[in-house]
Amino acid sequence: MTLLRRALAALGIAGLVAAVLRLRGSGGVPPQQGGWRELSGPDLR
Amino acid sequence: MRVAVVGLGAVGIRAARQLASTSEVEALLLRDPRAGRADEVAAAIGAVARVDHTTELPDTDVVVLAGPCRTQVALARDAVSKGCHVVSVSDDVGDVKALLELGPEAEARGVSVIAGASFAPGLSCVLAAHAAGSLDRVEEIHSAALGTGGPACAVQHHAALGGRAIEWRDGGWLHTPSGSGRELCWFPEPVGAADCYRGALPGPLLLVPAFPGIARVTARVAATRRDRLTGHLPMLRPPHPEGGVGAVRVEARGWRGSVSDTVVLGVMDRPAVAAGAVAALAAVSAGSGSVRRRGAGGLAELIEPLSFLHELARRGVKAAVFEGRSLFA
């Protein structure tokens, strides 16, 4: 039972750390929603 | 200016057509090893073009090397020794390395050697320069390309999946197996998403010198399971005369002030058509002296991306930006 509790605690802590790194990581998160827009006049000046 | 185009395949013909319609080009000399090919193209282009029948490299201001990979370096060396600007469309890693090594001699002679002036690399380098320019500090550039131009390009795509991939990571070159590192990349519509893999692609060799201090530069190419499986074998069937619609995309990651940001640019077009326009514009830039410096390098280093993209758009090759948001922003 102790082993199971420790394993669950370890998994929980690992998940928490991973979530923090995912959200606060230095690399940022690339865009995941949106669409393509052609570069036109003002973009090319 | 006088421009020579050596090699009249899918890209060479498009470059020649683009050059013929450029006001700065007074004379266009065409050369191809296939009998009658140059005459045929010259007749189709019109009065500005004529065929070069000499065995020596023609005496011009700029030479566009559009022949097959691994045939261009000797010609480039010859051209530089004659004080002629060189634009190469080769996307072979060995060719690009050898062309970059011509830098000191080209600089001494006051000429430019523009390596990898094609679709990817080439257009990808211009997009990278433009994307990086919109960030205060760029840390990573990742490019991906889909599709091939003519048969020589298809052969090179096959070879790229059989060689060793190179990428730049934390100040050093990393060599990894081609066909590894699958990433689902989204290209401009209607191309959409495709699985892209590492390959023996010269893009990082051209991008790293353009962005001193950059942490990561990678290049990927779209491939099927069959492409990856047969990459280490000889081509099992002859390449197509010309591929269909292709696309290139570049993702630049960095910082705007204290906020991390990602800029994604792309182009959807027939690779040979876009590559021809890029090579022709690179030749005009080199011949008119509007490059940033003399010597050898890629387009990201040598040209001003905004005016280049503007001129490309005028010629029908239009870039697009991915405007999205992060789910976690």
Side-chain angles (χ1 to χ4, degrees), chain B residues 63 67 72 99-100 125 131 134 172 182 215 249 259 271 287 299:
Chain B
V63 61
Q72 299 187 6
L99 289 168
L100 293 178
C125 296
S134 63
R182 180 170 68 179
R249 61 165 268 153
V259 180
L299 285 170

Side-chain angles (χ1 to χ4, degrees), chain B residues 88-164:
Chain B
S88 163
V89 306
S90 175
D91 56 353
D92 176 73
V93 171
D95 279 359
V96 169
K97 278 183 180 168
L99 289 168
L100 293 178
E101 283 168 8
L102 291 176
E105 190 186 345
E107 205 173 340
R109 293 184 185 274
V111 295
S112 305
V113 176
I114 303 181
S118 181
F119 190 58
L123 189 48
S124 60
C125 296
V126 181
L127 294 176
H130 185 50
S134 63
L135 297 168
D136 294 332
R137 183 159 60 90
V138 62
E139 287 193 333
E140 299 183 20
I141 293 178
H142 306 281
S143 67
L146 179 149
T148 54
C153 187
V155 169
Q156 190 55 28
H157 176 267
H158 178 82
L161 289 165
R164 295 283 287 172

Side-chain angles (χ1 to χ4, degrees), chain B residues 51-103:
Chain B
V51 181
D52 174 54
H53 291 293
T54 61
T55 51
E56 293 288 305
L57 200 66
D59 179 26
T60 54
D61 302 305
V62 189
V63 61
V64 178
L65 301 175
C69 296
R70 292 173 289 281
T71 64
Q72 299 187 6
V73 177
L75 288 169
R77 201 169 284 130
D78 193 15
V80 169
S81 71
K82 289 179 176 172
C84 174
H85 301 287
V86 174
V87 173
S88 163
V89 306
S90 175
D91 56 353
D92 176 73
V93 171
D95 279 359
V96 169
K97 278 183 180 168
L99 289 168
L100 293 178
E101 283 168 8
L102 291 176

Side-chain angles (χ1 to χ4, degrees), chain A residues 14-36:
Chain A
L16 199 66
V17 169
V20 168
L21 288 176
R22 180 80 173 88
L23 293 174
R24 310 285 295 176
S26 61
V29 181
Q32 287 145 332
Q33 288 182 339
W36 291 93

Side-chain angles (χ1 to χ4, degrees), chain B residues 47-306:
Chain B
V48 72
R50 67 182 177 81
V51 181
D52 174 54
H53 291 293
T54 61
T55 51
E56 293 288 305
L57 200 66
D59 179 26
T60 54
D61 302 305
V62 189
V63 61
V64 178
L65 301 175
C69 296
R70 292 173 289 281
T71 64
Q72 299 187 6
V73 177
L75 288 169
R77 201 169 284 130
D78 193 15
V80 169
S81 71
K82 289 179 176 172
C84 174
H85 301 287
V86 174
V87 173
S88 163
V89 306
S90 175
D91 56 353
D92 176 73
V93 171
D95 279 359
V96 169
K97 278 183 180 168
L99 289 168
L100 293 178
E101 283 168 8
L102 291 176
E105 190 186 345
E107 205 173 340
R109 293 184 185 274
V111 295
S112 305
V113 176
I114 303 181
S118 181
F119 190 58
L123 189 48
S124 60
C125 296
V126 181
L127 294 176
H130 185 50
S134 63
L135 297 168
D136 294 332
R137 183 159 60 90
V138 62
E139 287 193 333
E140 299 183 20
I141 293 178
H142 306 281
S143 67
L146 179 149
T148 54
C153 187
V155 169
Q156 190 55 28
H157 176 267
H158 178 82
L161 289 165
R164 295 283 287 172
I166 47 169
E167 58 185 52
W168 181 259
R169 186 175 291 186
D170 299 327
W173 292 108
L174 194 67
H175 297 266
T176 50
S178 289
S180 64
R182 180 170 68 179
E183 188 174 310
L184 185 65
C185 295
W186 292 84
F187 294 94
E189 299 301 337
V191 174
D195 278 331
C196 295
Y197 302 86
R198 295 189 186 107
L201 306 165
L205 293 173
L206 298 165
L207 289 173
V208 169
F211 304 102
I214 196 162
R216 284 192 70 192
V217 181
T218 66
R220 280 180 166 73
V221 64
T224 62
R225 284 195 180 92
R226 190 185 63 204
D227 293 335
R228 292 166 62 218
L229 186 70
T230 60
H232 298 275
L233 305 171
M235 284 189 89
L236 298 178
R237 58 182 181 182
H240 50 63
E242 183 163 347
V245 170
V248 61
R249 61 165 268 153
V250 171
E251 187 174 316
R253 300 178 190 166
W255 296 83
R256 272 198 184 102
S258 60
V259 180
S260 68
D261 201 0
T262 302
V263 180
V264 184
L265 298 178
V267 169
M268 182 279 301
D269 209 324
R270 291 172 80 91
V273 173
V278 169
L281 272 184
V284 173
S285 300
S288 61
S290 61
V291 289
R292 283 174 169 157
R293 64 168 179 82
R294 303 301 189 196
L299 285 170
E301 207 178 352
L302 297 182
I303 56 98
E304 200 286 301
L306 208 56

